[in-house]
Every structure is written in structure tokens, then in C-alpha cells.
Amino acid sequence: MFRKKGEGYLTAKESRRISKENRKITEEFEKKRKRKNVPESEYITQMRDPNNEVEFDDLHSYFYTDAGVVKSVDGVTFDVPIGKTVGIVGESGCGKSVTSLSLMQLLQRPQGQIVSGEIRLNRGGKVYNIANTPQEIMQDLRGNAVSMIFQEPMTSLNPVFKIGDQVDEVIALHEGKGKSKEEIRRQTIEALELVGIANSEGVANMYPHELSGGMRQRVVIAMALACHPRVIIADEPTTALDVTIQAQILDLLRDLKSKINASIMLITHDLGVIAEMADYVVVMYAGRIVEKGTAEDIFYHPAHPYTLGLMASKPVVGREVSELYSIPGKVPNPVNMPNYCYFRDRCEMKMSCCDGDYPCEIRLSDTHVVSCYRYYEEHKEEAERTANANLLQTARMAAAGEEVKGDA
Amino acid sequence: MRRFIIKRLILSVFILLCVTFIIYALMRCLPASYVENMAMQLSAAPGAKPYSEWLDQLNEQYGLDKGIVAGYLRWLSDAIRGNFGDSWKYTVPVVQKFADVIWLSFVMGAVAFFLELIIAIPLGVIAATKQYSRTDYVITAVALVGISLPTFFFATLLKLAFSVGLGWFDLYGLVGRDYEQLSAWGQFLDKANHLVLPIVTLVIVSIGSLMRYTRTNMLEVLNADYIRTARAKGLDENKVIYHHAFRNTLIPLVTIVGGSLPGLFAGALITETLFMIPGIGYISYQAMVAGDIPFSMFYLTFMAILTLAGNLLSDILYAVVDPRVRIA
């Protein structure tokens, strides 16, 4: 027999077996996705709370890679209320972007799939469950009800088309019925002016390479806002820009939000940006939410050791330190995650009970939720209730699975 | 733009002078000398002058008694005036012989090239959009077969299947047995019929590389951020691929297409030989083996001009398809 090589090592045979299995699973998903004339009942649903714009409910988005299944988003639940900004923080690879791409159905298929859970999108009259919405309907929602600002302004505009044409395209697609080219172009110019581009007519006739990074990000934002979306996903909108431009872009986003009253999902690893912009904060770690609450909850009463670590690792104006704090260790391998608190091995407040199953959600207040064993004692009753409910659900799901197998 | 083209044209003339000089020098140094062969034949006749006398006389007659530089200058001064001389091997003016055979090769090359483009590029795009699917594997495998198997093998297979087996086409030649009796339209069809197999051979062996090139470029473009932006706008998949992605894939393809301009006139030596078609590839090969300096000089100069024009063309096309490239 071979000796067991280091973690993550796969023999060719294992790798082949994995990719064969993956192909089987993803083909199943793709088949389901490619059906024609899906009945509305499959994707029209009800909001839990009509004051929410988007509800993520136990979302699981997996990537079927040749090294194994990566559970990038593994049971994420949070709400985006109408007209509010929700900040999502966490380190690279914790599933922030995958969560937002799931909402757009833009995961790299066929490897990336929404496996289970619901994403409910409130469109006034109708509520869509994005996880089951067919492609054609999705194309109507993208850029129209939900739009996205990407993190790389340098590469997220097509280099061979003029700025104006690229903005025209999205307007013509969603709001262009019965409009002439001139009217669409006028709307484009308005959109460019809205994001503070001077000489907007000149810029509309330029190619992306003729603009600076900050200008391009403004164009991307104009494109995202052109059709008055209800939800804007801003995926690290300031990462690639220098600080002055960052401040300008953030001011712009805040201004625009008050003008158009849309909900914003702001993804970033910059806690400063979150503090300035967000009403609610979701802290993610390794594909799960470890803590969520209002900005005040998170910044003034952080509860989870990971959040505490993040807070400690950011520089504070007026306090002099020789070295910034950093959380020890590294993120666990995303393939084959263990069933215990993912943060356990890096946690400096580890207790004996931490060796148990993944901690369930504990409600510290009406808005503040944390997944950590340290709060089990104070909220014992609630913890047990949730844990039991979880067990029940798992059992139900297992039973449902059995049934399906029985049918087959 | 105009300044760029003028600059490039002036540069091209200079390059052309260097190239023609090198070709001339090489032709003169070739061991296969037309004059030596001829002198040998003439001196072998009964009662003829000895070999060395014939050689001197012929060298003088054909202008080979001067040095390489002087000979080149003389060729150049004639060539500039449009006088490329007579072909030694074919004993007709070079231009006339060339005009006789070039159109055949050009038609073959152009049709094959056109077919190559309309087959290889769509297949490459399809293979890229369905990466790792069964379609992709089949297309890639076919491309690999096309790249790796030699022309003569394919030509023979095609002959076996379509000429011997099915009897649809003649084995070789450009015209059929009853060509003279046919009407003008019939003669055209007869020639076209004889060109089918050679063109199919040319297409099969050439689509592979272009297809793989398209697939690679398309894959790279499909993973770009702006493609995700296009999808995020709500565009349908066809528009994303054939509008946003394809325009970007065109950029590298243009170099290849511009670079194949000389290929259209180069003829296909092996294919023409296998099917016994008197195209430029076959004729120029024969001329070169016989040491026919005027014909080879004309043909190679022509190719050099086309290569330079092709390069200039692809540079200009670059600026047409990619707004980031500005020619100045």
C-alpha cells in the first residue's frame, strides 16, 4: 500500500473517481436547469417578511472540483431589508462573493451549483426563488432587479466596445422597448452624469482603456444603476483603487443610495468601509455565518472570537502599536470540512465544549446572532431548542432523501 | 495611419532588396547548375566542343560569368523595369509561365482557406463554450488527428475511399479524358470536380491548428471579467458569446489570417504532386531543382512581397479590431 501522503494529496485514481462522480451530479443539475417551460409554481414563492428585499435561507452553493466538493457557501441565512445596506465581511475565500454570485446565478457552471436552500427576491408583486428560477427569467432579473458592481474596474469593461455602447446595451435590454436609439443614449448620458462623470458625452464615445481606474469604476456603477435596480451588489467596489478614489466612490455610493433608495449588499474585507456604510453586518468564515447583527452590535459588542480578532487586527487612529494583531493559523482546507466549529483550531478562547458539533445560532438580542459555544451557558434553553430543531430538520431531510431513493 | 503605412512601405522596399539579394546569392551558390548540365549534354554530342569551352560560352550567354553582386545588380535593374527574363527550364517568359499556373493554385488555396475559416473558427468557439463536454472532446480529437497525420496519408485515404471505392472522382489529374469534347460550362465543372479531393485534403490538414488556436483564445476570453459583466447585465448566452467574447477572440486570429496571405499563392507542393496538378508549388519546385534562376527569383520575390504585404495587413487589421492599438 502507498503511504498516506500529505493532506490534499490525491492519487490519479482517486481524482478520476471524484471527477466521474462530480460529472454525474453536475449533469443532473444541468439537466434540471435546462428544462424548457418550467411552471411558475416552481420558482414563485412568498417572502417571510415583506419588508425584506432579499432573503437568503439556508443557502448551500458548492463547487464540484477535481479535488473534491468545495462547500463555498454552507448554510447561509440572512436578510437584506428594503433600502438598507448590508455589509458582508470575511477573509478571502470565505464565500462572500459566492453568496452574491448565487443571487445573480452567475456561479461558474457546471462546476458551481446552488445545491439547496432558497434565495427569495422581492419584486413588488412577485417573489422569485432565485435558486430555482430558469435562465430566461433570470436574464430578465439580472441588471434589472439585481445588479452588480464588480471588484476589478480595470478588467470588468469590455475593451473593444465604447463606454456608451456598453451602457446603452443594458438600458436597451431592460427598458428599451419602443425607445429610439437617441432616447436610449440620452438615458445613458444621464446615468453617466448621475455617477459624477464630467463631459459624459465625450466619455460615452471613449473606449475603456482611455479612462482611469476610478472613472471606469464610475462607469461600472452607472451601468449597474442604469435600470434602477432594487438590489445592488457591490463586490469589493474599492479594492483596486487608491484611497482618495476609494473615498470618492464610497461617497458616491452613499449619495446614490439616498437618491434611488435601493438595498445594497456591500462585500468587502475593509471594516472601515463597513463601519461607514452598513446598517447590518454579516461576518462570514469558511462558508458559514459566524455572527450577524446591526452595525452597532458588531462594532460595539462583537461576540464571536473571529469578529473580535478582526476588530483587533485593524489599525485605530490615535493608538500607537508596534505590530498589528493577526489571527494565528490559517483557514482550513475547504475540501472535507470537519464537523466542529471551523474556527476552533485558530481560536484563542477555545473551551472544552468546543470539540462538539458545529455550534448552532444563538440569539444574543433581537438583531444580534452568533454561532459560538461561549454563549451556550447564558442561552442554554434557546440553544437546545435550535439544536433540536436542526436535528429534526436533518432527520426530515434524510427521510425525504430515502423517499426519493425509494421512488427511483 | 497614412504616415504609418508610408513608413512601412519604405521599410518594406529596403527589406525586399536585402531578401532578393540573399535569394540571388543562394541561387548562384546552389550545386544544381542549369548551365553545367546543359554544357555536359552539349559536349556529349558527337564532334562537339569540349565541356569547358561550352561552359564558358554558356556562362557568358546566361550572364553567369560576372560575380554575384554584379549579376544581382543586373537582375535588379531588369526587374525594376518589369523585365524578369525567360525561364531557362520552360523556355518561355517567366511572367507568362507564372500566369499560366498561378490561378490554379490560387483558386485551390483560396477555396481551402475560406473553408478552413468557416469550419475551424465556429468549431473552436463551440469547443470552448462546451469545455470538457463530449462535443469538446470529439472536436479536439479530430483537430489532433488533422494536425498529426501527414498530407500524403490523408490524400491516399481519400483516394481509396472516393476514387477507388465510390468512383466519384478521378484518381489524379486536372482534367478528365473527354475534356476537349465538353462545352465551356462542362469544362469548368470537370476541372472543379478534379479539384474537390485536393481541396478537401488541404482543408483537413489545416483546420486543426486554427481550431485549437480559436478554442484556446476563446477559453481565455470566456474567463475574463468583462464576460461576467456582460452576463450580469442580463444578456442571453448567445449575445455574450458571439458579440462580447467573439470580438475579443478576433484580435489574435487576425494575425493568423493576415499571415496566411502568401500561403494563398504559395501552392501546395505535396498535395499538387500527389494529385498531379500543375500548380505553382509543383512548377516552382521543378524550376528550383533545375537551377532555373530567373523563374525562382521571380517566384521567391513575389512571395517575399506577399509576406511583407501580409504583415502590413495584419498590423492594420489589428488596429481595426482592437481599439487599444493605435497606429502612428
Side-chain angles (χ1 to χ4, degrees):
Chain A
M1 276 313 286
F2 295 108
R3 256 182 319 127
K4 194 172 165 21
K5 311 247 168 104
E7 199 191 349
Y9 180 85
L10 285 175
T11 59
K13 210 172 157 190
E14 276 174 302
S15 174
R16 263 203 303 279
R17 183 183 55 79
I18 291 173
S19 43
K20 209 172 156 191
E21 272 171 26
N22 284 347
R23 178 162 294 204
K24 223 159 120 193
I25 299 169
T26 50
E27 261 172 22
E28 196 84 351
F29 277 115
E30 289 296 302
K31 220 160 99 194
K32 205 174 154 196
R33 200 148 271 302
K34 277 189 187 136
R35 283 175 306 159
K36 293 224 159 73
N37 303 324
V38 183
E40 271 205 350
S41 58
E42 275 191 33
Y43 57 89
I44 298 294
T45 162
Q46 289 299 318
M47 296 302 276
R48 197 179 54 239
D49 179 354
N51 290 324
N52 288 337
E53 196 68 67
V54 182
E55 290 171 356
F56 288 89
D57 194 346
D58 199 29
L59 175 70
H60 291 73
S61 293
Y62 294 176
F63 285 91
Y64 294 90
T65 70
D66 286 354
V69 181
V70 177
K71 299 179 176 175
S72 289
V73 175
D74 196 11
V76 160
T77 304
F78 68 94
D79 302 335
V80 183
I82 291 176
K84 300 286 184 195
T85 301
V86 176
I88 306 179
V89 271
E91 56 202 310
S92 305
C94 72
K96 305 178 301 255
S97 293
V98 176
T99 308
S100 64
L101 288 173
S102 301
L103 173 56
M104 296 284 275
Q105 250 189 37
L106 280 179
L107 295 179
Q108 184 75 48
R109 281 169 40 206
Q111 299 91 336
Q113 298 284 355
I114 299 177
V115 176
S116 66
E118 286 194 353
I119 307 170
R120 291 184 287 268
L121 174 72
N122 194 348
R123 278 215 82 187
K126 278 183 181 172
V127 177
Y128 292 87
N129 176 10
I130 300 290
N132 294 338
T133 307
Q135 180 96 18
E136 314 87 72
I137 311 277
M138 206 54 225
Q139 275 161 6
D140 188 44
L141 296 176
R142 282 182 202 152
N144 193 11
V146 193
S147 66
M148 193 153 182
I149 301 166
F150 292 101
Q151 56 180 319
E152 287 286 344
M154 305 311 262
T155 54
S156 52
L157 291 171
N158 197 328
V160 299
F161 297 119
K162 286 181 179 165
I163 300 290
D165 295 340
Q166 298 195 41
V167 185
D168 280 351
E169 195 173 40
V170 65
I171 295 174
L173 193 64
H174 297 299
E175 296 188 348
K177 245 183 204 156
K179 280 186 188 164
S180 69
K181 267 189 179 162
E182 289 73 33
E183 279 172 291
I184 291 175
R185 179 46 67 96
R186 207 173 312 128
Q187 212 173 327
T188 298
I189 303 285
E190 270 169 33
L192 290 176
E193 267 161 16
L194 186 72
V195 294
I197 292 179
N199 178 25
S200 47
E201 277 177 54
V203 169
N205 273 321
M206 286 183 185
Y207 287 99
H209 69 274
E210 296 171 280
L211 302 176
S212 67
M215 286 283 268
R216 282 190 228 181
Q217 191 61 304
R218 280 169 199 267
V219 172
V220 173
I221 294 174
M223 218 150 73
L225 299 183
C227 291
H228 316 99
R230 303 295 307 143
V231 186
I232 301 163
I233 304 167
D235 188 355
E236 304 187 24
T238 56
T239 308
L241 306 172
D242 66 75
V243 252
T244 354
I245 308 296
Q246 276 189 23
Q248 286 178 15
I249 295 286
L250 289 178
D251 280 343
L252 173 71
L253 275 179
R254 215 174 3 216
D255 266 11
L256 289 173
K257 204 191 128 205
S258 57
K259 269 187 207 158
I260 61 176
N261 194 32
S263 311
I264 299 184
M265 263 175 77
L266 179 65
I267 298 168
T268 175
H269 13 232
D270 191 336
L271 285 169
V273 171
I274 291 283
E276 218 173 302
M277 301 279 299
D279 303 303
Y280 296 93
V281 181
V282 173
V283 184
M284 287 185 71
Y285 183 77
R288 292 221 191 190
I289 293 179
V290 291
E291 187 172 4
K292 63 186 173 188
T294 60
E296 202 187 270
D297 289 336
I298 303 292
F299 280 94
Y300 295 110
H301 316 287
H304 196 280
Y306 178 62
T307 321
L308 289 167
L310 283 183
M311 295 295 169
S313 59
K314 76 178 196 305
V316 178
V317 176
R319 197 177 65 194
E320 229 175 87
V321 283
S322 58
E323 210 175 291
L324 279 171
Y325 174 78
S326 73
I327 303 172
K330 58 180 181 91
V331 192
N333 182 353
V335 183
N336 308 323
M337 287 295 244
N339 183 25
Y340 53 77
C341 175
Y342 298 159
F343 194 59
R344 190 189 74 179
D345 297 334
R346 302 174 71 183
C347 187
E348 290 177 343
M349 303 169 191
K350 193 167 78 179
M351 301 184 299
S352 53
C353 55
C354 289
D355 292 330
D357 286 354
Y358 193 89
C360 61
E361 289 187 341
I362 309 276
R363 252 170 209 287
L364 299 179
S365 72
D366 278 350
T367 51
H368 198 176
V369 176
V370 66
S371 293
C372 180
Y373 275 109
R374 288 170 62 235
Y375 302 92
Y376 264 42
E377 279 305 305
E378 304 161 43
H379 303 266
K380 208 166 184 183
E381 201 181 305
E382 195 211 337
E384 270 166 15
R385 192 154 21 89
T386 333
N388 283 338
N390 278 352
L391 265 180
L392 201 65
Q393 202 189 349
T394 325
R396 249 190 234 140
M397 270 168 79
E402 285 296 307
E403 239 168 67
V404 170
K405 265 184 206 157
D407 286 350
Chain B
M1 185 71 134
R2 179 181 294 166
R3 268 192 59 198
F4 169 80
I5 294 175
I6 292 172
K7 212 164 76 185
R8 279 291 296 268
L9 285 177
I10 294 170
L11 196 67
S12 298
V13 170
F14 183 70
I15 295 174
L16 198 61
L17 286 178
C18 298
V19 170
T20 46
F21 178 71
I22 293 172
I23 297 171
Y24 186 82
L26 287 175
M27 288 302 299
R28 284 288 296 268
C29 299
L30 278 185
S33 166
Y34 180 75
V35 170
E36 277 170 25
N37 275 336
M38 199 152 158
M40 211 132 35
Q41 273 173 23
L42 288 171
S43 60
K49 282 187 278 188
Y51 170 73
S52 58
E53 272 177 45
W54 267 119
L55 192 64
D56 290 341
Q57 190 190 334
L58 285 171
N59 267 339
E60 201 191 330
Q61 216 172 330
Y62 283 98
L64 294 179
D65 50 343
K66 295 191 204 68
I68 288 177
V69 176
Y72 172 70
L73 287 177
R74 184 153 158 220
W75 174 85
L76 187 65
S77 65
D78 282 348
I80 287 172
R81 274 181 254 127
N83 174 18
F84 289 93
D86 292 345
S87 164
W88 295 347
K89 181 175 162 62
Y90 302 109
T91 57
V92 286
V94 164
V95 184
Q96 187 195 326
K97 181 70 191 168
F98 181 75
D100 279 349
V101 294
I102 188 65
W103 293 111
L104 192 57
S105 287
F106 175 71
V107 166
M108 259 172 71
V111 173
F113 183 63
F114 180 70
L115 287 177
E116 183 191 338
L117 288 185
I118 61 167
I119 293 173
I121 293 179
L123 280 184
V125 170
I126 290 171
T129 51
K130 301 190 172 169
Q131 195 190 8
Y132 301 141
S133 69
R134 230 160 262 141
T135 327
D136 181 26
Y137 287 135
V138 169
I139 292 177
T140 317
V142 169
L144 201 65
V145 168
I147 294 173
S148 10
L149 292 181
T151 317
F152 57 80
F153 180 76
F154 260 120
T156 316
L157 271 190
L158 287 174
K159 280 179 176 179
L160 182 67
F162 294 101
S163 304
V164 179
L166 295 168
W168 291 356
F169 306 106
D170 283 354
L171 264 179
Y172 43 70
L174 180 61
V175 291
R177 209 172 294 143
D178 49 356
Y179 181 76
E180 296 301 330
Q181 281 92 53
L182 292 168
S183 63
W185 176 241
Q187 289 186 340
F188 173 77
L189 284 184
D190 187 51
K191 275 192 179 174
N193 183 50
H194 280 84
L195 284 178
V196 170
L197 284 187
I199 288 175
V200 169
T201 313
L202 284 177
V203 170
I204 290 178
V205 296
S206 60
I207 51 171
S209 57
L210 184 64
M211 209 214 71
R212 285 180 65 94
Y213 196 69
T214 312
R215 178 178 178 271
T216 316
N217 281 307
M218 193 72 187
L219 276 179
E220 200 179 310
V221 170
L222 281 178
N223 285 324
D225 285 350
Y226 50 80
I227 294 303
R228 197 178 50 183
T229 312
R231 290 207 177 104
K233 281 179 182 175
L235 293 174
D236 67 63
E237 201 62 11
N238 279 336
K239 193 113 194 259
V240 170
I241 290 166
Y242 292 102
H243 187 62
H244 281 261
F246 190 62
R247 260 305 294 273
N248 284 282
T249 315
L250 270 184
I251 298 170
L253 283 183
V254 152
T255 18
I256 293 219
V257 174
S260 12
L261 181 67
L264 291 181
F265 292 90
L269 173 62
I270 298 174
T271 315
E272 282 171 9
T273 314
L274 286 169
F275 288 94
M276 294 207 181
I277 288 172
I280 189 70
Y282 186 69
I283 297 294
S284 61
Y285 168 72
Q286 294 289 335
M288 218 169 295
V289 169
D292 183 349
I293 293 182
F295 192 85
S296 304
M297 278 306 289
F298 176 75
Y299 176 65
L300 292 173
T301 308
F302 182 70
M303 293 312 293
I305 292 173
L306 283 182
T307 309
L308 290 168
N311 282 346
L312 182 61
L313 184 73
S314 50
D315 280 353
I316 294 170
L317 281 179
Y318 246 137
V320 172
V321 292
D322 190 348
R324 285 166 295 184
V325 176
R326 276 284 157 268
I327 289 180

